[in-house]
Amino acid sequence: MVSDFYKDFGYGFYCTKNKRQARKWALTLQGERNAIVSIYNYTPQKELKVLSFNEMTDEWLDFMVQCRHGIGHEYDIVEGPMVDDQIWDCVEDFMEGTITREAFWILVKFKHPTHQIVFCTEQSLKSVKYIESFMEF
């Protein structure tokens, strides 16, 4: 799927390693019927500029807030935690200045973010190969 600039890691083709999450995305986007989950193989290429976050950190939060504000970046691929509905409320409060950074980390301490990887450039999409799709009901 091609997204707008206001996603967690900006504009690009979003995927996940988490099969359960992929099913949830498909059902959310397509409704309860005829949702399709596609499987891809990703082959890392050393010439691509990759930013990877293993967990939610201040660096991840700042990067994600910039992307949510429509500020672009220079990476071909970005991978890391995804802001789900529970965490998004806290992020939105942080972005609006309603809560401090410290309060944000207290509120999300026991939340478990999911995974996402976004292919941001045409060059990065060459590292992805379609394998198969299946319908999810």
Side-chain angles (χ1 to χ4, degrees):
M1 127 176 111
V2 174
S3 64
D4 59 31
F5 284 101
Y6 305 107
K7 299 294 182 189
D8 293 352
F9 297 149
Y11 181 81
F13 179 66
Y14 279 78
C15 299
T16 182
K17 293 179 185 177
N18 185 318
K19 196 171 187 179
R20 182 176 179 197
Q21 181 180 325
R23 287 180 172 138
K24 183 178 177 182
W25 279 353
L27 290 169
T28 299
L29 292 171
Q30 299 298 322
E32 295 297 319
R33 299 173 51 185
N34 301 328
I36 298 173
V37 175
S38 296
I39 299 171
Y40 297 86
N41 184 43
Y42 162 59
T43 304
Q45 297 179 12
K46 52 185 157 179
E47 69 271 6
L48 296 177
K49 192 166 185 181
V50 178
L51 177 61
S52 187
F53 299 101
N54 294 324
E55 58 187 13
M56 293 188 303
T57 62
D58 279 336
E59 182 184 11
W60 166 84
L61 178 61
D62 293 340
F63 184 83
M64 192 263 314
V65 166
Q66 286 182 348
C67 291
R68 287 280 180 166
H69 279 121
I71 299 169
H73 58 77
E74 70 227 23
Y75 296 98
D76 295 298
I77 298 171
V78 182
E79 180 176 16
M82 182 186 90
V83 176
D84 66 6
D85 292 341
Q86 292 176 341
I87 296 173
W88 172 244
D89 291 338
C90 299
V91 170
E92 204 168 40
D93 289 343
F94 174 73
M95 288 172 58
E96 292 173 357
T98 307
I99 63 172
T100 64
R101 182 180 300 270
E102 294 75 20
F104 171 84
W105 290 118
I106 291 168
L107 290 168
V108 301
K109 184 176 182 178
F110 298 106
K111 308 288 186 208
H112 299 284
T114 52
H115 172 268
Q116 63 187 343
I117 182 169
V118 60
F119 299 87
C120 306
T121 63
E122 205 171 314
Q123 187 66 25
S124 70
L125 289 172
K126 293 176 182 176
S127 67
V128 178
K129 181 181 176 193
Y130 172 80
I131 304 296
E132 65 181 339
S133 295
F134 61 89
M135 299 226 18
E136 186 62 41
F137 300 98

